[in-house]
């Protein structure tokens, strides 16, 4: 957007909150928002401009999302001006390296968290949607989080599936972190809350906002609009609706807990008007995501993220590779602080180990693109060019020796015969499979001691009983 368009866009976001407002049925939240200066009429909540400004002023510009292993702590803004990455959240299907696609089991989640630990370009993990016959349906998120807390070295992003589950999920994170105060100091988890477009919030999502604000746990407030279905058909209109939904959540969080770390998370989709199939990767909705990134990052100075990878394809085909690469590169060259969705396909309904490994490779390329190139006399090799003594080329140049390691070399890409004679016959998927096999031979880590694991499992069993 131009500066004028960005100014218009922000004005329209805020007018939606001040004039239309949101609807929400959560008595405690409404009571506290009323005390904070919001206008409450039944389930309608409006946010005066001065209230919005006060809330936005308290959003922290610097914060850290911590990890069970402190080597994977994430400082915002990124110290090198780069971005962070995460896996897909909520996908119910698992496409294994061998075998048929199926609903995600607890064994699949264990494999998934182990793989993510080994991905050097994937910074944190989101919970997939387990659907295991051994898991009570209302406690899917509780059992999946237990797996993540046992295995993941990296920050964990949590999507509660029931309002009542939120308290158990927070209690579990506190147990793993060493208590509520320690969790507040070093939040090893953050939560996702979602609107039901446009500007409507279920009790469950209001409860997530409320409980996280009270516990001081970071939130990545989300919107999940589908252009042409529940938001305007244009990418611009859907971006506006999504950003207004996210802004409303940020305002509420900051009014309840000033200084709470937040990452704006508009996750945009579109409906194909010929097939009515929901799409994630078409060009227009990618532009919509870029508008959202600019609105929050440049417009408000708030870190923002959206899908940065994925595909609408159901298989590991050419469309899959083109779409996920295009998405990563487009988002990487925006101001996005986080690129989400690693390992996903079939419009975020399926996760796949090889897609995760390939995304890890593309993220590395994208980070190199975001870093850019310095232009000075040293990088230009100006002195040597000026001398003109280059009849023998530059292979033996001191400048070449100094810089030969500068170029990014994707580990899985073909670069000529070096190790094996048949290297030219091995595809990218072959190399990804070899990396998968090597990782799966490694021992799965245990991040918790036996006493903490026992305490954690006790919470899980209590939640399963009380939620059923």
């Amino acid at each position: 957007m131009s500066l004028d368009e960005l100014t218009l866009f922000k004005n329209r976001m805020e007018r939606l909150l001040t004039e239309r407002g949101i609807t929400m049925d959560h008595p405690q939240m409404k009571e506290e928002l009323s005390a904070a200066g919001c206008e409450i009429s039944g389930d309608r909540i409006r946010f005066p401009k001065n209230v919005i400004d006060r809330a936005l002023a308290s959003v922290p510009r610097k914060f850290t999302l911590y990890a069970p292993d402190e080597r994977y702590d994430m400082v915002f803004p990124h110290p090198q001006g780069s971005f962070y990455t995460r896996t897909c959240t909520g996908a119910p299907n698992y496409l294994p390296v061998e075998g048929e696609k199926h609903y995600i089991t607890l064994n699949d989640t264990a494999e998934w968290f182990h793989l993510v630990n080994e991905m050097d370009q994937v910074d944190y993990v989101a919970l997939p949607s387990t659907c295991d016959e051994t898991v009570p349906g209302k406690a899917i998120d509780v059992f999946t989080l237990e797996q993540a807390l046992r295995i993941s070295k990296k920050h964990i992003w949590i999507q509660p599936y029931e309002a009542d589950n939120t308290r158990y999920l927070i209690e579990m994170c506190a147990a793993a972190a060493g208590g509520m105060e320690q969790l507040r100091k070093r939040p090893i988890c953050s939560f996702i809350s979602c609107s039901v477009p446009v500007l409507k919030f279920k009790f469950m999502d209001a409860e997530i906002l409320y409980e996280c604000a009270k516990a001081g746990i970071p939130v990545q407030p989300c919107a999940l609009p589908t252009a042409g279905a529940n938001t305007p058909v244009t990418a611009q209109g859907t971006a506006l609706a999504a950003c207004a939904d996210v802004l409303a959540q940020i305002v509420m969080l900051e009014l309840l807990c000033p200084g709470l770390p937040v990452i704006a998370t508009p996750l945009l989709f579109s409906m194909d008007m010929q097939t009515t199939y929901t799409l994630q990767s078409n060009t227009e909705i990618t532009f919509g995501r870029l508008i959202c990134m600019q609105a929050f990052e440049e417009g408000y100075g708030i870190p923002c993220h959206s899908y940065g990878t994925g595909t609408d394809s159901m298989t590991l085909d050419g469309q899959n590779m083109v779409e996920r690469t295009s998405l990563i590169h487009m988002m990487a060259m925006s101001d996005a602080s986080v690129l989400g969705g690693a390992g996903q396909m079939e419009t975020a309904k399926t996760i796949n180990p090889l897609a995760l490994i390939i995304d890890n490779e593309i993220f590395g390329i994208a980070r190199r693109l975001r870093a850019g190139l310095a232009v000075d006399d040293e990088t230009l090799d100006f002195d040597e060019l000026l001398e003109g003594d280059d009849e023998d080329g530059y292979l033996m140049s001191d400048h070449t020796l100094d810089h030969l390691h500068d170029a990014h070399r994707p580990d899985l890409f073909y670069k000529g015969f070096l190790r094996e004679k048949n290297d030219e016959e091995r595809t990218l998927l072959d190399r990804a499979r070899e990396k998968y096999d090597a990782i799966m031979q490694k021992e799965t880590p245990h991040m918790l001691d036996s006493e903490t694991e026992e305490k954690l499992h006790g919470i899980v069993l209590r939640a399963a009983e009380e939620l059923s």
Side-chain angles (χ1 to χ4, degrees), residues 150 449-459:
R150 284 175 169 172
D449 58 45
S450 58
E451 183 179 349
T452 304
E453 279 208 7
E454 185 176 346
K455 182 178 180 180
L456 181 66
H457 193 58
I459 299 170

Side-chain angles (χ1 to χ4, degrees), residues 63-265:
F63 60 87
T64 301
L65 294 184
Y66 295 92
D69 184 333
E70 63 183 19
R71 292 176 298 172
Y72 301 102
D73 290 350
M74 296 177 288
V75 177
F76 288 82
H78 194 290
Q80 284 78 48
S82 188
F83 52 83
Y84 296 104
T85 64
R86 66 157 176 90
T87 59
C88 178
T89 183
N93 301 317
Y94 202 70
L95 179 62
V97 169
E98 292 184 351
E100 299 295 322
K101 181 172 69 174
H102 55 260
Y103 289 130
I104 295 173
T105 67
L106 285 179
N107 285 337
D108 294 328
T109 66
E111 174 178 283
W112 188 251
F113 298 142
H114 178 45
L115 284 169
V116 174
N117 282 339
E118 299 296 322
M119 297 294 104
D120 62 338
Q121 300 293 332
V122 179
D123 299 297
Y124 65 104
V125 66
L127 300 188
S129 184
T130 308
C131 187
D132 192 314
E133 62 181 10
T134 66
V135 178
K138 292 186 177 181
I140 287 173
D141 45 3
V142 173
F143 279 83
T144 307
L145 177 59
E146 182 183 24
Q147 286 279 58
L149 290 170
R150 284 175 169 172
I151 297 172
S152 180
K153 298 178 181 179
K154 301 178 180 181
H155 183 84
I156 301 166
W157 194 34
I158 302 168
Q159 165 71 73
Y161 289 132
E162 299 281 352
D164 291 339
N165 296 27
T166 305
R167 289 179 288 107
Y168 294 107
L169 295 167
I170 292 175
E171 186 181 355
M172 291 170 66
C173 293
M180 281 302 303
E181 284 307 309
Q182 189 62 21
L183 180 63
R184 188 183 291 267
K185 292 177 183 176
R186 280 186 56 86
I188 60 172
C189 65
S190 55
F191 278 63
I192 177 176
S193 56
C194 296
S195 59
V196 180
V198 175
L199 299 171
K200 299 179 178 68
F201 294 88
K202 304 184 299 296
F203 179 86
M204 180 187 78
D205 293 295
E207 180 72 358
I208 295 168
L209 295 169
Y210 187 81
E211 293 293 340
C212 286
K214 293 304 178 184
I217 295 176
V219 180
Q220 301 185 45
C222 174
L224 290 164
T226 300
N230 52 24
T231 51
V233 70
T234 59
Q236 300 94 314
T238 291
L240 175 61
C243 287
D245 282 327
V246 171
L247 182 63
Q249 295 174 76
I250 291 173
V251 169
M252 289 186 282
L253 287 165
E254 296 301 326
L255 291 176
L256 268 62
C257 183
L260 185 73
V262 293
I263 301 174
T265 308

Side-chain angles (χ1 to χ4, degrees), residues 172-451:
M172 291 170 66
C173 293
M180 281 302 303
E181 284 307 309
Q182 189 62 21
L183 180 63
R184 188 183 291 267
K185 292 177 183 176
R186 280 186 56 86
I188 60 172
C189 65
S190 55
F191 278 63
I192 177 176
S193 56
C194 296
S195 59
V196 180
V198 175
L199 299 171
K200 299 179 178 68
F201 294 88
K202 304 184 299 296
F203 179 86
M204 180 187 78
D205 293 295
E207 180 72 358
I208 295 168
L209 295 169
Y210 187 81
E211 293 293 340
C212 286
K214 293 304 178 184
I217 295 176
V219 180
Q220 301 185 45
C222 174
L224 290 164
T226 300
N230 52 24
T231 51
V233 70
T234 59
Q236 300 94 314
T238 291
L240 175 61
C243 287
D245 282 327
V246 171
L247 182 63
Q249 295 174 76
I250 291 173
V251 169
M252 289 186 282
L253 287 165
E254 296 301 326
L255 291 176
L256 268 62
C257 183
L260 185 73
V262 293
I263 301 174
T265 308
L267 304 178
L268 278 58
F269 297 87
S270 65
M271 188 174 74
D272 185 272
M273 287 298 160
Q274 289 185 326
T275 65
T276 71
Y277 187 75
T278 299
L279 301 174
Q280 176 210 9
S281 303
N282 72 325
T283 306
E284 282 70 27
I285 212 62
T286 300
F287 273 122
R289 293 193 194 101
L290 299 179
I291 288 172
C292 295
M293 298 306 101
Q294 186 183 6
F296 283 105
E297 296 274 2
E298 182 183 339
Y300 291 107
I302 296 174
C304 189
H305 97 264
S306 188
Y307 286 133
T309 181
T311 177
D312 296 316
S313 173
M314 300 177 70
T315 64
L316 292 166
D317 60 0
Q319 176 187 340
N320 184 318
M321 299 306 164
V322 169
E323 287 183 336
R324 64 193 326 109
T325 303
S326 175
L327 279 173
I328 290 175
H329 286 173
M330 288 288 284
M331 289 290 289
M333 298 309 288
S334 75
D335 291 330
S337 291
V338 179
L339 273 60
Q344 71 184 27
M345 50 194 292
E346 196 185 352
T347 319
K349 293 190 285 289
T350 298
I351 54 176
N352 170 256
L354 299 186
L356 175 67
I357 291 168
I358 291 168
D359 276 341
N360 187 71
E361 205 75 12
I362 307 171
F363 283 147
I365 300 170
R367 279 197 165 111
R368 183 65 192 88
L369 289 172
R370 171 76 78 92
L373 293 174
V375 178
D376 53 35
D377 283 345
E378 168 61 22
T379 60
L380 293 170
D381 196 16
F382 182 68
D383 291 341
E384 194 167 13
L385 285 168
L386 191 63
E387 290 174 6
D389 186 18
D390 51 12
E391 292 182 359
D392 293 329
Y394 290 85
L395 186 60
M396 303 303 293
S397 165
D398 289 341
H399 183 269
T400 298
L401 183 62
D402 291 339
H403 292 277
L404 64 91
H405 293 296
D406 290 357
H408 181 74
R409 301 182 79 251
D411 186 54
L412 297 185
F413 283 18
Y414 176 72
K415 295 177 283 290
F417 302 132
L418 187 61
R419 296 183 180 89
E420 300 179 14
K421 289 292 185 180
N422 66 341
D423 199 40
E424 79 281 5
E425 299 175 3
R426 294 160 61 235
T427 68
L428 176 63
L429 290 177
D430 292 332
R431 298 186 187 97
R433 172 61 192 265
E434 290 166 7
K435 185 169 184 175
Y436 166 84
D437 290 337
I439 291 172
M440 296 316 298
Q441 290 176 10
K442 296 183 179 181
E443 184 177 352
T444 301
H446 292 276
M447 300 304 298
L448 305 173
D449 58 45
S450 58
E451 183 179 349

